[in-house]
Amino acid sequence: MRGSAGQVPYAVPSGAFAAPGPPVADTPVDSVRRTAVLVAGAGAVFGVFVLVLTAPDRYADSTTTLFSGAVGGLYLGAGLLARLRRPRNAVGLLMLLVGIGWFAEDLQISTHPAVHTVGLFLKSASSGFLIPLLLVFPDGRLRDRTEHGAAAAVVDRALLVAGCTAAFVLVPIGALFYPSRVANLALVHPVRWQQPVVDAVQLAVSAAVVAVLVWRWLAATVPARRGLVPLIAVGVVGGLASGLDALFGSAARSHDELLDVAHVSVLLLPVAFLAGVSRVRLGRTAVAELLRRMPLGSRAQLRDELARTLGDRSLHIGFPAPDGVGYVDTEGRPLVVAGGRAVSSLERDGRRVGVLVHDPALREDRYVLEAVVSAAALELDNQRLTAEVRAQLAELRDSRRRIIEAGDEQRQKVERDLHDGAQQRFVVLELQLRLARQRLAARERPDPELARLLEEASGLLERGHAELRVVARGIHPAVLHEAGLVPALRSLAVGLPLPVDIRADDLPELPGPVALTAYYVVRQAVTNVLQHAAAGSVGVELAHADGVLRVSVTDDGVGGADPGAGTGLLGLRHRVAAYDGELTVRSRPGEGTVVSATLPTAVPPATARSGSPSAGEGGAR
């Protein structure tokens, strides 16, 4: 009868997808998988044979044929699945052996003396494999001193030796002295005090199993605990039931109830394992959700999303350091990997773009971890490409600004040259003509024809001087630097054939390039109104808020303007864009035209060197 012979407690993992441990053998993966299929098939055939053999004459108080077949079959199925998914991990092989050992234990239930005698030697076979299964879960290897400490390493190895010795040495030896209810053909001499010794060993091993389970739970990280939940719940209950049964003995009234609890726990162990498979499937759903949320805005956001997807709050991403030596975290600090942490390389097209430092328990499902690693590498590479494109765009804007400002400086130089050169000569010539006219008028008999010629020459000279001033102002508005943007716009509106209403709030001191760009926007918009809009009036509005200058020019003309038809507004759009601004044109037929521009006033230092309009640059002639 199961449980009465002092079986050793058990433990089965709740997830099969641990990171590969040291290879079980140096055979190829395909060969290991084929062997697993053969072992599972042989175990199934053996199980059917045992169940058929023992079905007619099982003990009345033993487990049923259906229950035994369900438990052994579940172990074989779960072990085969684990072995196929993790051929280098010993967990799957041990589960297959547990299933075969479970069927072998059923031989002791037979009432046939020969079969029963063989079963007595194998009555703890499944427990002999369950102890190693517990100890190597989830990565297929025992805890070592480096990662888990000397105490954990010693306890694991001691419990492994004790469990295997009890199941494969003490139990077979005890069969030689065990007077069972069915004839024991191998009985040498009956030993009546053997059962108390077996109960004591069962109690000790059960207590050790429960202690190790609780220890591993307390020492586990959050990701590792998620995988251990079904194992701990089922294993602790089964271990306690087995230990209490050994403590109270088979004569106690609670004997049957404790055996029922132990049997149910045995059945639930492979079920708990398969529940771990379902949990892994949910993990893949989380990966799909991560991919849906990409691209992400920053490296810190990527770290948070990866931590949430993998359920590891301690996760860190390492980025290549600027000097090319080592890695830095999201805050730019040198990345230090603590002991007991796992590191996965983030590679894209054969080039390492970073590293992922995470809990080793995440390697339980290699597929989910690899999917997250690939997604992280893709996102980092995309962020790198985005940063490169942004750098190129920034360089393009800086280059455009330099070209624009170089042109502005040249136009300002031409305007100054005209003012200091040609305009000064016009002024001198006007004075000389005025002096000539005065001297001619002072004569007793002035020549009327000469006076008329001097008058006409003076008029032509005055008109030429005025036209030169207009040309000079068109080349570069000197009044902008002398008085500021609003006075410059009012000066622009003087003499126009239609009224221009200029409204401006209290504008702060503006950088020179921003003020000059705003001036050109208004001048070009007003020029277009005069040439094409047939408008009756023009309104100009300027406002500054939140570090942005907003300029708007509105007319009541015919509308229908095409911003791409001419080069004036197109050139202005490029100029505005060079200073991170935006130029828009809204023009519906019959509703007039609105030209609007927004210009950030926080101009980079390299472009603000020309000063602000109120700084008086260009004011000294």
Side-chain angles (χ1 to χ4, degrees), residues 59-114:
Y59 292 170
D61 56 350
S62 67
T63 58
T64 65
T65 301
L66 178 62
F67 180 84
S68 292
V71 174
L74 281 173
Y75 273 109
L76 291 177
L80 179 60
L81 177 61
R83 194 64 170 168
L84 293 178
R85 300 292 296 273
R86 290 289 182 270
R88 298 296 190 184
N89 194 314
V91 169
L93 177 60
L94 287 173
M95 294 195 74
L96 289 172
L97 295 176
V98 169
I100 296 174
W102 177 267
F103 287 127
E105 291 178 3
D106 258 9
L107 293 173
Q108 66 175 311
I109 299 176
S110 174
T111 56
H112 190 283

Short mmCIF file of all heavy atoms in Angstrom, two decimals, residues 59-114:
data_model
loop_
_atom_site.label_atom_id
_atom_site.label_comp_id
_atom_site.label_asym_id
_atom_site.label_seq_id
_atom_site.Cartn_x
_atom_site.Cartn_y
_atom_site.Cartn_z
N TYR A 59 -4.51 -4.15 -3.48
CA TYR A 59 -4.98 -4.06 -2.11
C TYR A 59 -6.29 -3.27 -2.09
O TYR A 59 -6.50 -2.33 -2.85
CB TYR A 59 -3.98 -3.34 -1.21
CG TYR A 59 -2.69 -4.10 -0.98
CD1 TYR A 59 -1.61 -3.46 -0.36
CD2 TYR A 59 -2.54 -5.43 -1.36
CE1 TYR A 59 -0.43 -4.12 -0.13
CE2 TYR A 59 -1.35 -6.09 -1.14
CZ TYR A 59 -0.30 -5.45 -0.53
OH TYR A 59 0.87 -6.11 -0.31
N ALA A 60 -7.11 -3.63 -1.18
CA ALA A 60 -8.39 -2.92 -1.05
C ALA A 60 -8.19 -1.47 -0.61
O ALA A 60 -8.96 -0.58 -0.99
CB ALA A 60 -9.30 -3.65 -0.06
N ASP A 61 -7.18 -1.17 0.20
CA ASP A 61 -6.94 0.18 0.71
C ASP A 61 -5.83 0.90 -0.05
O ASP A 61 -5.28 1.89 0.44
CB ASP A 61 -6.62 0.15 2.20
CG ASP A 61 -5.42 -0.75 2.50
OD1 ASP A 61 -4.99 -1.48 1.59
OD2 ASP A 61 -4.93 -0.70 3.66
N SER A 62 -5.45 0.40 -1.21
CA SER A 62 -4.40 1.05 -2.00
C SER A 62 -5.03 2.01 -3.00
O SER A 62 -6.26 2.10 -3.12
CB SER A 62 -3.58 0.00 -2.75
OG SER A 62 -4.37 -0.64 -3.73
N THR A 63 -4.19 2.73 -3.72
CA THR A 63 -4.69 3.64 -4.75
C THR A 63 -5.31 2.85 -5.88
O THR A 63 -4.92 1.71 -6.16
CB THR A 63 -3.55 4.50 -5.29
OG1 THR A 63 -2.53 3.65 -5.81
CG2 THR A 63 -2.99 5.40 -4.22
N THR A 64 -6.26 3.46 -6.57
CA THR A 64 -6.93 2.77 -7.67
C THR A 64 -6.06 2.73 -8.90
O THR A 64 -5.08 3.49 -9.03
CB THR A 64 -8.25 3.48 -8.01
OG1 THR A 64 -7.95 4.79 -8.50
CG2 THR A 64 -9.14 3.59 -6.78
N THR A 65 -6.41 1.85 -9.83
CA THR A 65 -5.68 1.75 -11.09
C THR A 65 -5.76 3.06 -11.87
O THR A 65 -4.77 3.53 -12.46
CB THR A 65 -6.25 0.59 -11.93
OG1 THR A 65 -6.14 -0.62 -11.20
CG2 THR A 65 -5.50 0.46 -13.25
N LEU A 66 -6.94 3.71 -11.86
CA LEU A 66 -7.11 4.96 -12.57
C LEU A 66 -6.22 6.06 -11.99
O LEU A 66 -5.57 6.82 -12.72
CB LEU A 66 -8.58 5.40 -12.50
CG LEU A 66 -8.92 6.74 -13.17
CD1 LEU A 66 -8.61 6.67 -14.66
CD2 LEU A 66 -10.39 7.09 -12.94
N PHE A 67 -6.16 6.14 -10.65
CA PHE A 67 -5.34 7.16 -10.01
C PHE A 67 -3.85 6.94 -10.32
O PHE A 67 -3.13 7.88 -10.66
CB PHE A 67 -5.57 7.15 -8.50
CG PHE A 67 -4.78 8.17 -7.75
CD1 PHE A 67 -5.22 9.47 -7.63
CD2 PHE A 67 -3.56 7.83 -7.17
CE1 PHE A 67 -4.49 10.41 -6.94
CE2 PHE A 67 -2.81 8.78 -6.48
CZ PHE A 67 -3.28 10.07 -6.36
N SER A 68 -3.41 5.70 -10.19
CA SER A 68 -2.00 5.40 -10.46
C SER A 68 -1.64 5.72 -11.90
O SER A 68 -0.59 6.28 -12.20
CB SER A 68 -1.70 3.94 -10.14
OG SER A 68 -1.78 3.69 -8.75
N GLY A 69 -2.54 5.34 -12.82
CA GLY A 69 -2.28 5.65 -14.23
C GLY A 69 -2.25 7.14 -14.52
O GLY A 69 -1.44 7.62 -15.30
N ALA A 70 -3.13 7.90 -13.84
CA ALA A 70 -3.17 9.36 -14.05
C ALA A 70 -1.88 10.01 -13.56
O ALA A 70 -1.30 10.87 -14.25
CB ALA A 70 -4.38 9.95 -13.34
N VAL A 71 -1.42 9.63 -12.37
CA VAL A 71 -0.21 10.24 -11.82
C VAL A 71 1.01 9.91 -12.69
O VAL A 71 1.77 10.79 -13.09
CB VAL A 71 0.02 9.78 -10.37
CG1 VAL A 71 1.36 10.29 -9.86
CG2 VAL A 71 -1.10 10.28 -9.48
N GLY A 72 1.20 8.61 -12.97
CA GLY A 72 2.35 8.23 -13.78
C GLY A 72 2.30 8.83 -15.16
O GLY A 72 3.32 9.30 -15.68
N GLY A 73 1.12 8.86 -15.77
CA GLY A 73 1.00 9.46 -17.11
C GLY A 73 1.29 10.94 -17.11
O GLY A 73 1.92 11.46 -18.04
N LEU A 74 0.81 11.65 -16.07
CA LEU A 74 1.08 13.09 -16.00
C LEU A 74 2.57 13.36 -15.85
O LEU A 74 3.11 14.30 -16.48
CB LEU A 74 0.32 13.71 -14.83
CG LEU A 74 -1.17 13.98 -15.07
CD1 LEU A 74 -1.85 14.43 -13.78
CD2 LEU A 74 -1.35 15.04 -16.15
N TYR A 75 3.25 12.56 -15.05
CA TYR A 75 4.70 12.76 -14.90
C TYR A 75 5.43 12.49 -16.22
O TYR A 75 6.34 13.23 -16.60
CB TYR A 75 5.25 11.84 -13.80
CG TYR A 75 5.17 12.43 -12.43
CD1 TYR A 75 4.27 11.94 -11.49
CD2 TYR A 75 5.97 13.49 -12.06
CE1 TYR A 75 4.18 12.47 -10.22
CE2 TYR A 75 5.90 14.03 -10.80
CZ TYR A 75 4.99 13.53 -9.89
OH TYR A 75 4.92 14.07 -8.63
N LEU A 76 5.03 11.43 -16.92
CA LEU A 76 5.68 11.12 -18.20
C LEU A 76 5.41 12.23 -19.22
O LEU A 76 6.33 12.66 -19.93
CB LEU A 76 5.17 9.78 -18.73
CG LEU A 76 5.60 8.52 -17.95
CD1 LEU A 76 4.96 7.29 -18.56
CD2 LEU A 76 7.12 8.38 -17.95
N GLY A 77 4.18 12.71 -19.28
CA GLY A 77 3.86 13.78 -20.23
C GLY A 77 4.58 15.08 -19.92
O GLY A 77 5.16 15.73 -20.80
N ALA A 78 4.55 15.47 -18.62
CA ALA A 78 5.22 16.72 -18.24
C ALA A 78 6.73 16.61 -18.43
O ALA A 78 7.39 17.55 -18.87
CB ALA A 78 4.89 17.06 -16.79
N GLY A 79 7.30 15.43 -18.10
CA GLY A 79 8.74 15.24 -18.29
C GLY A 79 9.14 15.28 -19.74
O GLY A 79 10.17 15.86 -20.10
N LEU A 80 8.32 14.66 -20.62
CA LEU A 80 8.63 14.70 -22.04
C LEU A 80 8.57 16.12 -22.58
O LEU A 80 9.44 16.54 -23.36
CB LEU A 80 7.65 13.80 -22.80
CG LEU A 80 7.82 13.75 -24.32
CD1 LEU A 80 9.21 13.24 -24.70
CD2 LEU A 80 6.73 12.91 -24.97
N LEU A 81 7.55 16.87 -22.17
CA LEU A 81 7.45 18.27 -22.60
C LEU A 81 8.66 19.07 -22.16
O LEU A 81 9.24 19.84 -22.93
CB LEU A 81 6.16 18.88 -22.03
CG LEU A 81 5.94 20.37 -22.32
CD1 LEU A 81 5.85 20.61 -23.82
CD2 LEU A 81 4.68 20.87 -21.63
N ALA A 82 9.06 18.91 -20.90
CA ALA A 82 10.22 19.65 -20.40
C ALA A 82 11.49 19.24 -21.13
O ALA A 82 12.33 20.09 -21.44
CB ALA A 82 10.38 19.39 -18.89
N ARG A 83 11.63 17.95 -21.41
CA ARG A 83 12.85 17.47 -22.08
C ARG A 83 12.92 17.96 -23.52
O ARG A 83 14.01 18.30 -24.01
CB ARG A 83 12.88 15.93 -22.04
CG ARG A 83 14.23 15.33 -22.39
CD ARG A 83 15.27 15.70 -21.39
NE ARG A 83 16.50 14.94 -21.57
CZ ARG A 83 17.64 15.21 -20.97
NH1 ARG A 83 17.71 16.25 -20.14
NH2 ARG A 83 18.71 14.47 -21.16
N LEU A 84 11.78 18.02 -24.19
CA LEU A 84 11.77 18.52 -25.57
C LEU A 84 12.06 20.01 -25.61
O LEU A 84 12.72 20.49 -26.53
CB LEU A 84 10.41 18.23 -26.22
CG LEU A 84 10.08 16.75 -26.47
CD1 LEU A 84 8.68 16.62 -27.06
CD2 LEU A 84 11.12 16.11 -27.39
N ARG A 85 11.56 20.74 -24.62
CA ARG A 85 11.78 22.19 -24.60
C ARG A 85 13.15 22.55 -24.08
O ARG A 85 13.74 23.55 -24.50
CB ARG A 85 10.71 22.86 -23.72
CG ARG A 85 9.29 22.64 -24.18
CD ARG A 85 9.00 23.34 -25.49
NE ARG A 85 9.11 24.76 -25.37
CZ ARG A 85 8.12 25.57 -25.00
NH1 ARG A 85 6.94 25.05 -24.69
NH2 ARG A 85 8.28 26.86 -24.94
N ARG A 86 13.67 21.74 -23.14
CA ARG A 86 14.97 22.02 -22.54
C ARG A 86 15.80 20.73 -22.55
O ARG A 86 15.96 20.06 -21.53
CB ARG A 86 14.80 22.50 -21.09
CG ARG A 86 14.21 23.89 -20.98
CD ARG A 86 15.20 24.95 -21.45
NE ARG A 86 14.64 26.28 -21.30
CZ ARG A 86 13.93 26.90 -22.23
NH1 ARG A 86 13.69 26.28 -23.37
NH2 ARG A 86 13.47 28.11 -22.03
N PRO A 87 16.32 20.35 -23.70
CA PRO A 87 17.04 19.06 -23.79
C PRO A 87 18.30 19.00 -22.95
O PRO A 87 18.75 17.90 -22.59
CB PRO A 87 17.35 18.93 -25.29
CG PRO A 87 17.28 20.31 -25.82
CD PRO A 87 16.25 21.03 -25.01
N ARG A 88 18.89 20.14 -22.60
CA ARG A 88 20.11 20.14 -21.79
C ARG A 88 19.82 20.31 -20.30
O ARG A 88 20.74 20.36 -19.50
CB ARG A 88 21.03 21.28 -22.25
CG ARG A 88 21.51 21.18 -23.67
CD ARG A 88 22.36 19.95 -23.88
NE ARG A 88 23.02 19.96 -25.18
CZ ARG A 88 23.77 18.97 -25.65
NH1 ARG A 88 23.94 17.89 -24.91
NH2 ARG A 88 24.33 19.03 -26.84
N ASN A 89 18.55 20.36 -19.94
CA ASN A 89 18.16 20.54 -18.54
C ASN A 89 17.75 19.20 -17.96
O ASN A 89 16.95 18.47 -18.54
CB ASN A 89 17.01 21.54 -18.44
CG ASN A 89 16.79 22.03 -17.03
OD1 ASN A 89 16.77 21.25 -16.10
ND2 ASN A 89 16.63 23.34 -16.88
N ALA A 90 18.27 18.86 -16.79
CA ALA A 90 18.00 17.57 -16.17
C ALA A 90 16.60 17.44 -15.60
O ALA A 90 16.17 16.33 -15.26
CB ALA A 90 19.02 17.31 -15.06
N VAL A 91 15.85 18.54 -15.50
CA VAL A 91 14.53 18.49 -14.88
C VAL A 91 13.61 17.55 -15.65
O VAL A 91 12.89 16.71 -15.07
CB VAL A 91 13.93 19.91 -14.79
CG1 VAL A 91 12.45 19.85 -14.42
CG2 VAL A 91 14.69 20.74 -13.77
N GLY A 92 13.59 17.66 -16.97
CA GLY A 92 12.71 16.81 -17.77
C GLY A 92 13.03 15.34 -17.62
O GLY A 92 12.12 14.50 -17.48
N LEU A 93 14.31 14.97 -17.64
CA LEU A 93 14.71 13.58 -17.48
C LEU A 93 14.30 13.04 -16.11
O LEU A 93 13.80 11.90 -15.99
CB LEU A 93 16.22 13.45 -17.67
CG LEU A 93 16.82 12.05 -17.45
CD1 LEU A 93 16.21 11.05 -18.42
CD2 LEU A 93 18.33 12.10 -17.59
N LEU A 94 14.47 13.84 -15.07
CA LEU A 94 14.10 13.40 -13.73
C LEU A 94 12.59 13.18 -13.62
O LEU A 94 12.13 12.25 -12.94
CB LEU A 94 14.57 14.41 -12.70
CG LEU A 94 16.08 14.44 -12.44
CD1 LEU A 94 16.45 15.59 -11.53
CD2 LEU A 94 16.56 13.12 -11.83
N MET A 95 11.80 14.01 -14.27
CA MET A 95 10.35 13.82 -14.24
C MET A 95 9.96 12.53 -14.96
O MET A 95 9.04 11.82 -14.52
CB MET A 95 9.64 15.02 -14.85
CG MET A 95 9.81 16.30 -14.06
SD MET A 95 8.64 17.58 -14.55
CE MET A 95 7.15 16.95 -13.83
N LEU A 96 10.63 12.22 -16.06
CA LEU A 96 10.37 10.94 -16.73
C LEU A 96 10.69 9.77 -15.79
O LEU A 96 9.93 8.80 -15.70
CB LEU A 96 11.21 10.85 -18.00
CG LEU A 96 10.80 11.76 -19.17
CD1 LEU A 96 11.83 11.69 -20.28
CD2 LEU A 96 9.43 11.35 -19.69
N LEU A 97 11.80 9.87 -15.09
CA LEU A 97 12.18 8.79 -14.16
C LEU A 97 11.23 8.69 -12.99
O LEU A 97 10.95 7.59 -12.49
CB LEU A 97 13.61 9.03 -13.66
CG LEU A 97 14.70 8.96 -14.75
CD1 LEU A 97 16.06 9.29 -14.15
CD2 LEU A 97 14.72 7.59 -15.41
N VAL A 98 10.69 9.85 -12.54
CA VAL A 98 9.69 9.81 -11.47
C VAL A 98 8.45 9.04 -11.93
O VAL A 98 7.88 8.22 -11.20
CB VAL A 98 9.32 11.23 -11.02
CG1 VAL A 98 8.09 11.20 -10.10
CG2 VAL A 98 10.48 11.87 -10.29
N GLY A 99 8.02 9.33 -13.16
CA GLY A 99 6.85 8.62 -13.69
C GLY A 99 7.09 7.12 -13.79
O GLY A 99 6.22 6.31 -13.41
N ILE A 100 8.26 6.71 -14.28
CA ILE A 100 8.58 5.29 -14.37
C ILE A 100 8.68 4.68 -12.98
O ILE A 100 8.19 3.57 -12.71
CB ILE A 100 9.88 5.08 -15.16
CG1 ILE A 100 9.70 5.56 -16.61
CG2 ILE A 100 10.31 3.62 -15.13
CD1 ILE A 100 10.97 5.53 -17.44
N GLY A 101 9.32 5.40 -12.04
CA GLY A 101 9.42 4.92 -10.67
C GLY A 101 8.06 4.78 -10.00
O GLY A 101 7.84 3.86 -9.20
N TRP A 102 7.15 5.69 -10.34
CA TRP A 102 5.80 5.60 -9.77
C TRP A 102 5.12 4.29 -10.19
O TRP A 102 4.49 3.61 -9.38
CB TRP A 102 4.98 6.80 -10.23
CG TRP A 102 3.56 6.77 -9.75
CD1 TRP A 102 2.48 6.28 -10.41
CD2 TRP A 102 3.07 7.24 -8.50
NE1 TRP A 102 1.35 6.40 -9.68
CE2 TRP A 102 1.67 7.00 -8.48
CE3 TRP A 102 3.66 7.83 -7.39
CZ2 TRP A 102 0.87 7.34 -7.41
CZ3 TRP A 102 2.86 8.18 -6.31
CH2 TRP A 102 1.49 7.93 -6.33
N PHE A 103 5.24 3.95 -11.49
CA PHE A 103 4.65 2.68 -11.94
C PHE A 103 5.37 1.48 -11.30
O PHE A 103 4.72 0.48 -10.96
CB PHE A 103 4.74 2.59 -13.46
CG PHE A 103 3.77 3.48 -14.18
CD1 PHE A 103 4.22 4.37 -15.16
CD2 PHE A 103 2.42 3.45 -13.89
CE1 PHE A 103 3.33 5.18 -15.83
CE2 PHE A 103 1.52 4.28 -14.55
CZ PHE A 103 1.98 5.16 -15.53
N ALA A 104 6.70 1.59 -11.13
CA ALA A 104 7.44 0.48 -10.52
C ALA A 104 6.99 0.24 -9.08
O ALA A 104 6.95 -0.91 -8.61
CB ALA A 104 8.93 0.78 -10.56
N GLU A 105 6.62 1.32 -8.37
CA GLU A 105 6.15 1.15 -6.99
C GLU A 105 4.84 0.36 -6.91
O GLU A 105 4.53 -0.25 -5.89
CB GLU A 105 5.97 2.51 -6.33
CG GLU A 105 7.28 3.24 -6.08
CD GLU A 105 7.05 4.61 -5.46
OE1 GLU A 105 5.87 4.94 -5.18
OE2 GLU A 105 8.03 5.34 -5.25
N ASP A 106 4.06 0.40 -8.01
CA ASP A 106 2.79 -0.32 -7.99
C ASP A 106 2.96 -1.84 -7.94
O ASP A 106 2.01 -2.56 -7.60
CB ASP A 106 1.98 0.05 -9.25
CG ASP A 106 0.89 1.06 -8.92
OD1 ASP A 106 0.90 1.58 -7.80
OD2 ASP A 106 0.04 1.33 -9.78
N LEU A 107 4.16 -2.31 -8.24
CA LEU A 107 4.37 -3.75 -8.21
C LEU A 107 4.17 -4.32 -6.81
O LEU A 107 3.75 -5.48 -6.65
CB LEU A 107 5.78 -4.09 -8.72
CG LEU A 107 6.06 -3.78 -10.20
CD1 LEU A 107 7.54 -4.01 -10.53
CD2 LEU A 107 5.18 -4.64 -11.11
N GLN A 108 4.46 -3.52 -5.78
CA GLN A 108 4.30 -4.01 -4.41
C GLN A 108 2.84 -4.23 -4.03
O GLN A 108 2.53 -4.91 -3.05
CB GLN A 108 4.93 -3.02 -3.42
CG GLN A 108 4.21 -1.68 -3.39
CD GLN A 108 4.75 -0.74 -2.33
OE1 GLN A 108 4.90 -1.17 -1.18
NE2 GLN A 108 5.03 0.49 -2.72
N ILE A 109 1.92 -3.67 -4.82
CA ILE A 109 0.49 -3.79 -4.52
C ILE A 109 -0.05 -5.16 -4.94
O ILE A 109 -1.06 -5.62 -4.43
CB ILE A 109 -0.29 -2.65 -5.21
CG1 ILE A 109 0.21 -1.29 -4.68
CG2 ILE A 109 -1.78 -2.77 -5.00
CD1 ILE A 109 -0.41 -0.12 -5.37
N SER A 110 0.66 -5.80 -5.88
CA SER A 110 0.19 -7.08 -6.40
C SER A 110 0.14 -8.14 -5.29
O SER A 110 0.97 -8.15 -4.36
CB SER A 110 1.09 -7.55 -7.54
OG SER A 110 0.73 -8.85 -7.97
N THR A 111 -0.82 -9.04 -5.40
CA THR A 111 -0.91 -10.17 -4.44
C THR A 111 -0.13 -11.38 -4.94
O THR A 111 -0.08 -12.39 -4.24
CB THR A 111 -2.39 -10.56 -4.26
OG1 THR A 111 -2.97 -10.88 -5.54
CG2 THR A 111 -3.17 -9.43 -3.62
N HIS A 112 0.45 -11.27 -6.11
CA HIS A 112 1.30 -12.35 -6.61
C HIS A 112 2.64 -12.26 -5.89
O HIS A 112 3.29 -11.19 -5.91
CB HIS A 112 1.49 -12.23 -8.12
CG HIS A 112 2.15 -13.43 -8.73
ND1 HIS A 112 3.50 -13.65 -8.64
CD2 HIS A 112 1.63 -14.47 -9.43
CE1 HIS A 112 3.81 -14.77 -9.27
NE2 HIS A 112 2.67 -15.31 -9.77
N PRO A 113 3.10 -13.30 -5.22
CA PRO A 113 4.33 -13.21 -4.41
C PRO A 113 5.55 -12.72 -5.18
O PRO A 113 6.30 -11.88 -4.66
CB PRO A 113 4.51 -14.65 -3.93
CG PRO A 113 3.15 -15.24 -3.94
CD PRO A 113 2.44 -14.61 -5.12
N ALA A 114 5.76 -13.23 -6.39
CA ALA A 114 6.96 -12.82 -7.15
C ALA A 114 6.90 -11.35 -7.51
O ALA A 114 7.89 -10.59 -7.33
CB ALA A 114 7.10 -13.69 -8.39
#
